[in-house]
Amino acid sequence: MVSYIIKRSLLSIPLLVIISFLTFGLNNLSPLDPVEVILHAQGVPTITDELIVETKAALGMDRPFLIRYLNWFVSCLQLDFGNSYVTGKTVWSLLAPAFLNTLKLTLISAAAIIALSIGLGVISALREGKMTDKSIRGVSFFLTSMPPYWLAALMVWYFSVQLDLLPTSGMDSYESYILPVIVITISYTGIYFRMVRSSMLSNMNEDYVLYGRASGLPEKKITMHILRNSLQVAISVFCMAIPIILGSTVVVENIFAWPGLGTLSVKSILSRDFPIIQAYVLVLAMAFVLFNTVSDIINAAMNPKLRKGH
Amino acid sequence: MAILEVANLKIWDSQTGKVIVPGSSFHVKQGSCLAIVGESGSGKSLTCRAIMRLNKTGIRQSGDILFNGVNLTELPEKDMRKRRGKQLCMILQNGMRAFDPSCVVGVHLRETLACHFGWGREEITAKMKRAMESVMLKDPIAVMNMYPHQLSGGMLQRIMIALTLVLEPAIVIADEPTTALDTISQFEVVEQFIQLREKMGCSMIFISHDLGIVRKIADDVLVMKDGEIVDRGTSQIIFSEAAHEYTRYLVSSKQALNDHFKRLMGGVSLVER
Amino acid sequence: MKRLQFLLKDKLAAASLSILVVTIVAGIFAPLFAPHDPEEVHMELRYAASSWEYLLGNDHLGRCILSRLIFGIRPSVLWVLAALAVSVGIGAILGFIAGYFRGLTDAVVMRICDVMLSFPGYVMTLAVIGILGVGLENILIAFVLMKWAWFTRIIRTSVMQYAESDYVKFSKVLGVSDIKIITKHMVPVSLPDIAVIASSSFGSMILQLSGFSFLGLGIQAPNAEWGMMLNEAREVMFSKPEFMLAPGLTIIVVVSAINFLSDALQVALDPKLLASKYKLQGQGPASTARLQGKEVA
């Protein structure tokens, strides 16, 4: 097991290096010259070619691509992602708090999604074909087809404006969490609920269920066995839900003016603040790879076949 | 005296309305072994599951199943569950899939015995150990702590037989217990089935399409084709003077194969176990 | 043919299919269907309620909402469909090559896919918009960039399973050329799988595109696009929330129809599911659900 963890972790290192290279390389594909963007942002009235060359040299941007990449990579390892073109602040000072805010939102939503989709998936599978199952599936189908931002707008209109119960935006109190969490939960539960349900159903057709029944085991015990096997598959998928949500709160954050990664990234895109975009992409891709590794390891730890069969 | 009597058993699919078994009647004598033979899809397994009342929800059944004079079809589910395992015990075809893949096999054994007898962990381990040794499983304690995928199909089949030995049911229903095994394991497992009958004197329903094994183990034989019982009789009669053309066809094709095999192997019969 | 009939027997699936066909036709021939010019401003009709002339009323610039919805089909649905087709095309070509020839090509293609798939989808799209700038075409480029690897991987798995089948091996032994085997034997059997995979992505892509437009990262004014229309309605959300309804409901109806059709397609094309239709209707097998779960990225 230990050797598997080490092997799996080592495997992700080349991937991380490739990702960092791509992230850096992507920015050089931009049709805009970053120096011009900086000068614009700094409010320089007339941009002369001379000024561009000067700034380039000052920022070390005239050096060869590989050297610049290596410099960037090394400083990234020290959590120094450079400075924002627009505000001049360090990227880290903008990114870190935003990341934390998004993480809070993500973890709460992920917990709600996991609890709901397991609960509903199990109920629905056990009542397969009955009214309960049909209505849960119908509602979840409808909710997954709904644009999340539309749902968010409707909820703000109803709960915040009509009933004046909850804040419309910001992150001031625990009440601010309610609407964003509900919207994220609704838009993702449908997908995970389906997975839990069909995994339960396929396990219910397995021979071990038949043998358990034929041995006279009570239904409760049999259900526990089905649940155990179904969730084994589900755990690695749930693990990946966290980075996926982390990267897709963009729309919801913008509607609720949540001071997180989504708001920051859209703002940076609109102002073409490359260092922030770069760091944003890098951090989330890293999180993705990291969670993928962890999910593989958990999967191996849970599954006796992988655990002892090397 | 018949321990199990099945009368007018009809099995159909409630969704498509398709009748799978139109109406079969047969009985199992006390202490004897009834073999049900036939091609796959002939309704053998469904018949057995119908006796246990374990067919999937879409599959419906009607008719009477009398077990020791009690009509199983009229029992409440709770009473039926108490009889499963304890009085009617089932052994499945694929040992690999019959045990929960995420638990060691001991879990199923313990849960089953605890729910029928209320024994503690030590008592179960001791009893299982004895039973497993008697079916030639070496190092039973270690085996109980292994996952299904770490054991061979033959070993898992013998674990199921060992569990049956401890449960001491009145009737054992074995659904193609040797089909998924290689020839050597088949031989060992069949030996254990014969000994199981000798030790417990229980009745047995043995489903198979392997006539060689059936000939060795069964007292009576039912031949099923497309859900209908086309032939029945004691195993000597079936193998020597079958009444139905289909039975003769099954026996002769088996014979032809066997003869061909014997010729190839230079007269040594391996198939005829 | 039998499968198609089966699909159409399912009333909801037939309804979904007709909704989709009507949407696509209306989108292609938008100028014929739209009662007005979608960009024609009538300041005197600002926020007008629905009337006989303007069935769904007018927006904040007095433009005809119905016409804008119809013209909005083009970017919201048709262009997404085009991006989907391109990425499925790339995925199919690479998937067939990797899955059929295996070996080194396969290894290289799969490693590239691994790298591509390790970028979460939303983040990738944001990155592309960030670099290339705001605009519909950049979102579409991002879609192709992030989806092709996903399709390649699934199509390869599907192809591999057929490449192992006996009749393909038999054809190889007979010396039939690879290209002929692929076009004659592999493509027809893989098509259903590809259709199911592609259709299951379509709905989520429409939702994502409209989401980006809603944030102002997509198509630019004055063009009509559903997410964009919602963005404009958002400004007056508190005083005139009814303006959120028309575009929102349109998206829901179209996406539901696509999702429903995708599920029905899956059931119709999979004989295993066909046999147990009553059990699995509107519900894919575990593996598909699992894949979809990962694909949300």
Side-chain angles (χ1 to χ4, degrees), chain C residues 166-280:
Chain C
D166 287 336
Y167 66 89
V168 171
K169 282 186 189 157
F170 185 65
S171 309
K172 276 189 191 171
V173 173
L174 285 184
V176 181
S177 76
D178 287 334
I179 291 176
K180 207 165 175 190
I181 293 179
I182 290 180
T183 50
K184 285 252 161 169
H185 298 301
M186 308 286 295
V187 173
V189 287
S190 305
L191 269 182
D193 287 358
I194 295 176
V196 169
I197 300 158
S199 64
S200 69
S201 281
F202 193 19
S204 68
M205 281 168 84
I206 291 183
L207 282 182
Q208 280 180 21
L209 181 96
S210 76
F212 286 119
S213 296
F214 180 76
L215 293 179
L217 299 176
I219 205 164
Q220 296 301 300
N223 293 305
E225 198 274 345
W226 297 344
M228 180 79 178
M229 291 173 75
L230 281 169
N231 186 22
E232 289 162 357
R234 181 191 179 189
E235 318 267 305
V236 291
M237 193 175 83
F238 299 133
S239 51
K240 299 182 177 64
E242 63 273 16
F243 282 91
M244 301 284 292
L245 283 181
L249 291 178
T250 313
I251 297 178
I252 293 179
V253 168
V254 171
V255 173
S256 307
I258 292 170
N259 286 347
F260 207 93
L261 205 62
S262 158
D263 279 1
L265 202 65
Q266 193 166 353
V267 177
L269 294 176
D270 191 334
K272 276 201 299 288
L273 294 179
L274 197 65
S276 55
K277 180 200 158 214
Y278 60 93
K279 273 192 147 174
L280 288 150

Side-chain angles (χ1 to χ4, degrees), chain A residues 212-219, chain B residues 4 6 47-55 61 64-68 70-90 115-116 171 173:
Chain A
R213 291 212 174 103
S215 303
L217 289 183
E219 275 308 302
Chain B
L4 184 82
V6 176
T47 303
C48 283
R49 288 180 194 180
I51 295 170
M52 300 287 286
R53 289 198 2 212
L54 279 178
N55 272 316
Q61 66 186 75
D64 295 321
I65 299 163
L66 292 166
F67 171 72
N68 271 341
V70 180
N71 195 339
L72 294 183
T73 55
E74 286 165 2
L75 280 181
E77 176 61 26
K78 202 176 137 223
D79 294 346
M80 185 66 210
R81 204 187 68 222
K82 280 188 187 144
R83 283 181 166 73
R84 287 189 200 122
K86 186 82 185 298
Q87 298 185 11
L88 302 113
C89 201
M90 207 166 172
C115 96
H116 286 300
I171 188 164
I173 300 175

